[in-house]
Structures are given as C-alpha cells and as structure tokens.
Amino acid sequence: GINAEYMGGYPLVFRSRGVTVHVHDFNQLQDVATLELAATSHIILEKALTGWKEIEYEVIRDSHHNCISVCDMENFDPVGIHSGDSIVVVPAQTPGSRELSLLQTAALKIVRHLQVVGECTVSFALHPGSEEYCVVDINPCMSRATALASKATNYPLAYVATQLVLQKNLVEIPNSVTKFTTACCEPTMYSALIL
C-alpha cells in the first residue's frame, strides 16, 4: 500500500501494467495501488489535466542564442484529445494576454535552456480557470504544428531551421515576406486562422 498521502492535489492518473485509472482521492489511490502493487512494482502517477486547454508555441533558436516565438496555437479540443485529431486556431483565442505572455516566456526559456538549434514546438496544458500550467511536450523537430505555424504566419520555418543547422544565425537570414527585415523578427498576425 501507500504510506504517505499525496499532497499535490487530485485528480491523478494512475498507470500500471496497461491499467489507467483516474483517482479522485487518497482512499481510491490507496485501493488501486494496493491491488496493482501486488502484481508489479512499477506504477506511474500523473496529474490529471482533463479539461485543460492545450496551447502550443513554435519557437526557433540559433547557435548565437537568438530566439523568437513564431506563433502560438490553441487546440480546439482540451488536453487528452490527440492534437493530430483536433482543429487548431492560430493565434490562440481563449487565453488572456497575461497567460499567453507567461507561456511564451516559458517556451523561450525552455528552448534556450535545452540549447535547441532550429525549430521546436513546446506544448502546454493551461488550467481554464487560473494561470497554472504544465509542460506537456517538447518536440525539437518538424511536425504537423510546424507546418500549421508556417502556413498561418508565412514564416518559412523549415527553410530557416535548415539555415540554422548550417551555422547561419537568425540575424543573417533575410525575411522572405518583408524582404527588408531578418528571420529574427517575430511575424505579425492580423487575423485568426482555423486549421
């Protein structure tokens, strides 16, 4: 069994041997853990993020520490629905500017800390009633989100990321849209897109 009460809050997702259970209190956790620990010594407890908003940031960084957020995106469906099966809105519409700024700052810090050179998608779960968030995924390679971000912003993420891998920096790469700025300038969006 479990000897100490979990203090991080409920609900939790309990995973073991292919078993997934949403646990809503300590007694339920203790009952499920006792049954499963009789058969295995490996269990995983995760914070349940059911109903939280899924917000993604496309970030690009060069080897000279220049780093920008190309755009934010919001999955129409909450966390738990595979993002490949969800409608995506660019830019995110339901979080406030304070929440978006908080997540953008976190995404930039994460990509800098990991020293990613090129493109990276950082996905967050955002509690719908507060500023609490969790990092759901960090994907430092081209993905569906990368293609959506490029389409929505006209920012050529694949081309720029390739140039960065070839040791160019964001300040050296011309902006293919404006022709007079560089790839180090965050794109401006004047309308929302549903993809």
Side-chain angles (χ1 to χ4, degrees):
I2 296 178
N3 297 324
E5 183 159 351
Y6 170 72
M7 301 303 289
Y10 292 92
L12 295 172
V13 177
F14 180 100
R15 298 183 196 277
S16 168
R17 302 180 304 129
V19 173
T20 301
V21 178
H22 278 77
V23 177
H24 298 280
D25 58 43
F26 179 71
N27 291 331
Q28 187 182 14
L29 174 61
Q30 194 165 30
D31 292 345
V32 172
T34 300
L35 285 172
E36 289 301 311
L37 288 172
T40 185
S41 60
H42 300 284
I43 63 170
I44 298 171
L45 291 176
E46 301 172 350
K47 183 177 187 102
L49 304 174
T50 308
W52 289 36
K53 300 174 184 184
E54 187 169 355
I55 310 295
E56 298 178 277
Y57 277 82
E58 285 300 314
V59 178
I60 197 153
R61 178 185 174 274
D62 65 25
S63 60
H64 294 86
H65 310 295
N66 297 306
C67 189
I68 66 165
S69 167
V70 174
C71 74
D72 57 68
M73 299 177 276
E74 180 174 5
N75 287 302
F76 181 77
D77 295 303
V79 171
I81 306 298
H82 185 271
S83 60
D85 298 328
S86 183
I87 294 169
V88 176
V89 181
V90 182
Q93 296 295 300
T94 65
S97 58
R98 184 175 161 100
E99 291 91 351
L100 291 172
S101 178
L102 182 75
L103 296 177
Q104 181 184 38
T105 299
L108 293 169
K109 284 182 179 179
I110 288 166
V111 171
R112 283 185 174 120
H113 179 76
L114 296 175
Q115 298 182 7
V116 173
V117 172
E119 182 277 335
C120 187
T121 307
V122 182
S123 302
F124 297 97
L126 176 65
H127 189 279
S130 72
E131 293 179 354
E132 182 181 1
Y133 68 91
C134 297
V135 176
V136 175
D137 187 40
I138 301 168
N139 186 3
C141 59
M142 300 293 168
S143 66
R144 172 181 177 261
T146 309
L148 294 175
S150 285
K151 183 175 184 172
T153 62
N154 286 326
Y155 190 97
L157 277 162
Y159 172 78
V160 173
T162 301
Q163 296 300 306
L164 299 179
V165 171
L166 297 172
Q167 300 302 310
K168 287 195 174 182
N169 68 54
L170 288 168
V171 178
E172 296 173 327
I173 302 168
N175 183 314
S176 62
V177 175
T178 67
K179 307 287 189 227
F180 62 87
T181 59
T182 68
C184 201
C185 295
E186 292 183 357
T188 302
M189 293 198 58
Y190 297 103
S191 61
L193 297 175
I194 300 172
L195 305 167

